[in-house]
Amino acid sequence: MKKTKRILTAIVMSVSMAIAGLSPMGAALAKGNEVSETSMEDKASARDKELIDMIDNYQFTSEITEIDDASEDPGSMGQVAESGENPVKDGDTDNHKDTLDMGSITSEINRGASKKIRAWGVDVYRGQGTIDWVKAKNAGVYFAIIRVGYRGSGTGKIVMDGQFENNVKNAKAAGVHIGLYFSATALNEDEAREEAAYVISMIKKYDIPVTYPIAYDYEAWENETYRNHNITYRQRNDCAYAFLDAIRAYGYTPMMYASKGGFRYNNNWEASKMENMYKMWVAQYPKNYTSHAQAILEGAETSYTGRYDIWQFSDDGLIDGIPNHTDVDFEYEPGVGVTCAARALWIDDDGGNLISGYLQAYGTYGYTMEYSFWVTNDKGKTYHKIQDWSTNPIFDWNPNLQGDLTLVGKVRLKEMPAYESYATDTYFIGVIEATCQMPYTGQGGGYLIGLKTKDYAGTDLKFELLIYDCNLQTWVWSTGICETGTNSFWALWQPIYGYYWTLFRVYDNDGDLLEEQCYGFVNAW
């Protein structure tokens, strides 16, 4: 939306670890023929059973629609400034505080005994567009918290998010761990339970393997035009409890979402109570981080001091496969953290015939690091493997490419191969090997000018020669862009007396300029 995608020349980390304790048990709790009455009583209170029955047999009184025209969307995850929940605009000046610490990558990933990064992921709604979840997964996205829908800010209709179906189906197919959230404007506990029932009904309809929490995102009550503008502190919190308790009764893990300013000092929510009952998801953006890698490298931290399980640290993420900017999140876990960070890629050559490289990286003590090396010369569209995964951090490569190259060195932990990061560097391999400007003794005379390129197997090149008249100060002659099917190009030129520049250009088969060389030329005698 705001920026184009860009390649990061910094580390990228992805964590692949089992998420224990988050798997739903709703199917077992909801079906009496699978679980005995006694065991159900052990797992759920009488109120829980009532909520389960209510969800299974819910008769919606609010209008349900699958038409998402966005006209009544109350906003998503703090992206509506007037909601009072925007992490950057909630009046909390600490949100603008620069908390960067350029310490070592190891200490930044594992800072403090209580906060270890378990995984990183994104939360998405229709604003991110149609996501390629395979690309997102390959980029390191471990989990996605996907918006199911919202309750309209005016009519109170329950609406499915415009990208929900695509997101859950394709994230599931790509193997991304899935959590869910709902943007609520409930006026009372009954409406909040109805919102929970709607979320459960959509899980059933689309057979969603929910392994991450289901979050409550209450939106926009500070907007005078919204239906929930006059809701009280007490009513608002009771709605949250009603939704979250219903989600837990059915067997899923509930999670409360709000900005740091909303949680802090129990400003908008009874955070000190909720943190003892539910997972907590806090939003605060110290800076417009475009990736988790940048956040880690720059030592990003939230200044929120309450308990939290997930931190939404940016709404400015640029993730491969996601067309528009997205929210980016860290999930934390207790225990020993894990590090695997590529720091720098060093490149050397012996004149162009052989290129060598070395990847400097750090890893957790006791784990084995593996390395692989790649190159691209066509704007990142196609990568060529130089060296497959091995424990050798050094590569040797005889290139058959030319021009501006981007070399990529990857490192991962052998014991946890999805935990990976990379570093990049650029390198230029010259294309033009020789040029020629000589009198032509054949018919018509003139000068034979041309060039020869290094012979790159399988490469289709295009050529162009141009002449600049130094007296007239203008270009006076050009061959246009030509193809020869060989690695050389010649043209015959008949100049008048004067001083000139000859410009030799070589293009790839896409028409992108690979190299140009310019030489003085005199025809004054």
Side-chain angles (χ1 to χ4, degrees):
M1 289 187 296
K2 294 177 285 185
K3 301 173 184 172
T4 58
K5 296 283 183 181
R6 49 186 179 265
I7 298 175
L8 296 176
T9 57
I11 70 154
V12 171
M13 173 195 70
S14 63
V15 186
S16 177
M17 303 180 73
I19 307 301
L22 298 181
S23 299
M25 57 180 180
L29 287 176
K31 299 178 181 179
N33 62 341
E34 293 184 11
V35 180
S36 69
E37 191 67 22
T38 301
S39 63
M40 180 178 287
E41 288 178 353
D42 292 338
K43 292 178 180 292
S45 65
R47 181 58 175 159
D48 287 343
K49 287 186 288 180
E50 180 183 339
L51 290 171
I52 292 168
D53 184 68
M54 180 273 293
I55 292 171
D56 281 340
N57 301 287
Y58 201 87
Q59 299 296 316
F60 290 93
T61 57
S62 299
E63 182 176 348
I64 308 295
T65 177
E66 292 188 359
I67 301 174
D68 179 11
D69 63 1
S71 63
E72 286 199 337
D73 189 342
S76 176
M77 292 302 188
Q79 296 184 30
V80 179
E82 59 267 33
S83 71
E85 287 298 297
N86 189 296
V88 179
K89 299 181 179 180
D90 62 4
D92 176 13
T93 56
D94 285 347
N95 284 330
H96 304 281
K97 180 181 178 182
D98 185 355
T99 60
L100 306 183
D101 177 7
M102 297 304 290
S104 73
I105 188 67
T106 302
S107 65
E108 287 305 317
I109 291 179
N110 290 323
R111 58 184 179 276
S114 61
K115 286 296 173 189
K116 312 294 183 183
I117 294 175
R118 183 180 201 177
W120 75 272
V122 296
D123 57 88
V124 296
Y125 79 124
R126 72 161 189 285
Q128 276 69 57
T130 302
I131 296 172
D132 184 333
W133 283 103
V134 172
K135 286 186 178 180
K137 172 71 180 300
N138 290 338
V141 173
Y142 184 76
F143 68 88
I145 303 179
I146 296 169
R147 187 168 78 159
V148 180
Y150 59 88
R151 185 185 287 276
S153 60
T155 63
K157 294 179 182 178
I158 293 179
V159 184
M160 183 177 75
D161 184 273
Q163 287 290 339
F164 170 73
E165 186 173 3
N166 288 333
N167 282 334
V168 294
K169 286 184 176 180
N170 295 325
K172 174 183 175 180
V176 175
H177 287 264
I178 296 174
L180 303 171
Y181 77 93
F182 185 89
S183 296
T185 63
L187 300 179
N188 51 56
E189 293 176 63
D190 286 342
E191 284 193 351
R193 294 188 190 99
E194 185 178 53
E195 292 167 351
Y198 176 74
V199 172
I200 297 299
S201 72
M202 298 296 276
I203 294 173
K204 291 180 178 181
K205 179 178 179 180
Y206 290 95
D207 190 26
I208 305 170
V210 181
T211 55
Y212 266 68
I214 297 174
Y216 186 67
D217 171 33
Y218 195 84
E219 288 285 346
W221 69 88
E222 291 186 357
N223 188 322
E224 294 181 358
T225 66
Y226 285 7
R227 70 194 297 266
N228 56 338
H229 173 61
N230 291 320
I231 195 168
T232 67
Y233 181 94
R234 179 72 271 137
Q235 290 170 330
R236 186 166 62 245
N237 279 270
D238 287 344
C239 287
Y241 293 130
F243 179 96
L244 297 168
D245 287 344
I247 293 297
R248 178 161 55 196
Y250 204 82
Y252 294 93
T253 301
M255 181 165 63
M256 183 64 194
Y257 169 88
S259 70
K260 171 198 166 182
F263 279 151
R264 192 179 61 168
Y265 308 134
N266 296 320
N267 281 345
N268 297 327
W269 304 102
E270 295 177 343
S272 58
K273 178 180 177 181
M274 291 178 172
E275 69 182 20
N276 294 317
M277 302 171 64
Y278 316 111
K279 294 280 187 179
M280 301 292 280
W281 186 7
V282 66
Q284 183 197 12
Y285 311 153
K287 182 179 177 179
N288 292 331
Y289 294 110
T290 58
S291 73
H292 66 287
Q294 182 192 8
I296 291 173
L297 279 173
E298 296 187 1
E301 293 182 277
T302 174
S303 55
Y304 179 62
T305 57
R307 190 190 68 76
Y308 58 95
D309 302 277
I310 294 179
W311 174 31
Q312 182 189 85
F313 63 86
S314 176
D315 66 349
D316 212 27
L318 292 169
I319 309 299
D320 191 27
I322 302 180
N324 298 320
H325 288 236
T326 186
D327 298 339
V328 194
D329 308 89
F330 284 130
E331 183 201 18
Y332 296 93
E333 67 171 2
V336 178
V338 183
T339 59
C340 184
R343 298 287 287 176
L345 182 66
W346 305 96
I347 299 171
D348 196 7
D349 69 84
D350 64 353
N353 295 321
L354 180 69
I355 295 177
S356 299
Y358 169 73
L359 183 64
Q360 182 184 29
Y362 299 116
T364 297
Y365 178 77
Y367 290 89
T368 303
M369 290 194 293
E370 294 183 313
Y371 306 84
S372 67
F373 298 95
W374 301 72
V375 65
T376 178
N377 73 328
D378 50 6
K379 302 179 179 63
K381 292 181 291 186
T382 304
Y383 281 85
H384 308 273
K385 185 185 295 184
I386 297 175
Q387 177 178 301
D388 206 351
W389 291 106
S390 75
T391 56
N392 185 8
I394 301 172
F395 73 88
D396 293 315
W397 176 51
N398 290 305
N400 63 351
L401 301 172
Q402 68 286 311
D404 289 311
L405 307 179
T406 298
L407 287 100
V408 182
K410 296 184 178 182
V411 60
R412 71 183 185 185
L413 299 180
K414 184 176 183 180
E415 291 81 359
M416 290 181 288
Y419 195 98
E420 177 183 308
S421 72
Y422 69 79
T424 66
D425 203 350
T426 57
Y427 187 81
F428 178 78
I429 300 179
V431 181
I432 298 174
E433 186 175 54
T435 62
C436 179
Q437 301 175 139
M438 59 183 293
Y440 179 63
T441 57
Q443 185 175 359
Y447 282 84
L448 186 67
I449 59 175
L451 73 159
K452 179 182 179 182
T453 65
K454 297 176 182 178
D455 189 8
Y456 292 98
T459 301
D460 296 322
L461 300 178
K462 300 176 183 179
F463 304 89
E464 182 181 22
L465 300 178
L466 301 97
I467 305 296
Y468 184 83
D469 190 312
C470 297
N471 293 322
L472 298 177
Q473 297 186 12
T474 186
W475 297 99
V476 294
W477 188 78
S478 171
T479 63
I481 299 177
C482 305
E483 297 183 54
T484 66
T486 68
N487 67 322
S488 63
F489 180 63
W490 303 95
L492 189 63
W493 175 48
Q494 294 178 326
I496 62 174
Y497 290 114
Y499 295 87
Y500 302 89
W501 287 103
T502 55
L503 181 63
F504 301 82
R505 285 178 173 170
V506 181
Y507 302 84
D508 66 14
N509 56 6
D510 291 326
D512 295 324
L513 181 66
L514 296 176
E515 188 178 3
E516 60 181 17
Q517 292 183 12
C518 191
Y519 299 92
F521 182 85
V522 178
N523 185 36
W525 296 278

